[in-house]
Amino acid sequence: MVGVEDLVHFRYYVSSKTINKLIQVHDRIFCCIAGSLADAQAVTKAAKFQISFHSIQMESPPLVKAAASVLKELCYNNKEELQAGFITAGWDRKKGPQVYTVALGGMLLSQPFTIGGSGSTYIYGYADAKYKPDMSKEECLQFATNALALAMGRDNVSGGVAHLVVITEEGVEHIVIPGDKLPKFHDE
């Protein structure tokens, strides 16, 4: 028989290296999830509803900052129960392209670029050294692909497939790079 004290020593872990951590919350707004998948899915489901409702009320697409603020409020109001963080990015008519971080606990920051999740600890140096403002689409894609490949190469829960999205005034482009097509920076 297993007692309560014995259960502390048992941990069940289920991981998928192919899950898409990019979630579309509106036409030109996506969030990248980190932390507990169940928490992140619950928050994004509620956020999608609120953002869509807001868009209907306003009779226009939501601002990226408004979408990030919805995620922030959901995270802040449930900070004791949630283990999820988000990077929210998109394009709107008011400010063009934008990136926001919604950290654990509901802090909202606007940044030119950001990284997050367990693999991010391995790539801060890369991101700081290689990011530059006003990169071309190709440079951005290479920067993101290299960052993801470096994180995945060091962190066993960062995934094995790179899911990228390019969000512009013209629309959205999804790009999927299988793990065997990602650049290699070291022997794995």
Side-chain angles (χ1 to χ4, degrees):
M1 185 165 157
V2 177
V4 173
E5 60 279 347
D6 296 322
L7 291 176
V8 174
H9 301 289
F10 294 106
R11 293 218 172 219
Y12 297 99
Y13 182 75
V14 178
S15 176
S16 170
K17 295 276 219 180
T18 59
I19 191 164
N20 184 359
K21 296 180 182 180
L22 286 173
I23 297 173
Q24 188 170 16
V25 294
H26 207 270
D27 295 343
R28 287 187 174 83
I29 305 171
F30 284 73
C31 64
C32 184
I33 60 175
S36 164
L37 179 60
D39 289 351
Q41 287 176 330
V43 170
T44 54
K45 184 177 181 179
K48 281 181 179 183
F49 174 79
Q50 289 186 27
I51 293 163
S52 292
F53 188 70
H54 173 76
S55 180
I56 291 166
Q57 285 182 313
M58 300 303 291
E59 297 180 351
S60 67
L63 299 177
V64 179
K65 186 173 186 176
S69 294
V70 167
L71 287 160
K72 174 197 73 107
E73 287 299 316
L74 289 167
C75 289
Y76 180 77
N77 292 337
N78 298 285
K79 65 181 172 265
E80 299 299 321
E81 292 84 31
L82 294 175
Q83 289 294 314
F86 303 89
I87 296 171
T88 304
W91 185 95
D92 65 45
R93 280 189 226 152
K94 184 174 182 182
K95 287 182 139 184
Q98 299 150 72
V99 177
Y100 295 90
T101 298
V102 179
L104 288 169
M107 180 178 67
L108 177 66
L109 293 170
S110 172
Q111 299 180 297
F113 82 95
T114 189
I115 58 177
S118 60
S120 67
T121 57
Y122 300 104
I123 61 169
Y124 277 101
Y126 169 81
D128 288 341
K130 298 295 183 178
Y131 173 80
K132 59 184 183 202
D134 302 317
M135 286 191 276
S136 68
K137 174 184 168 183
E138 291 73 26
E139 289 172 318
C140 287
L141 287 170
Q142 194 61 60
F143 172 76
T145 301
N146 288 348
L148 289 168
L150 285 163
M152 288 183 223
R154 297 286 184 201
D155 181 40
N156 67 343
V157 295
S158 282
V161 175
H163 294 270
L164 305 171
V165 64
V166 178
I167 311 163
T168 64
E169 181 177 7
E170 290 75 37
V172 174
E173 176 186 359
H174 297 264
I175 300 165
V176 178
I177 306 170
D180 62 345
K181 303 290 186 211
L182 289 168
K184 301 274 188 221
F185 295 96
H186 51 81
D187 292 333
E188 296 177 5

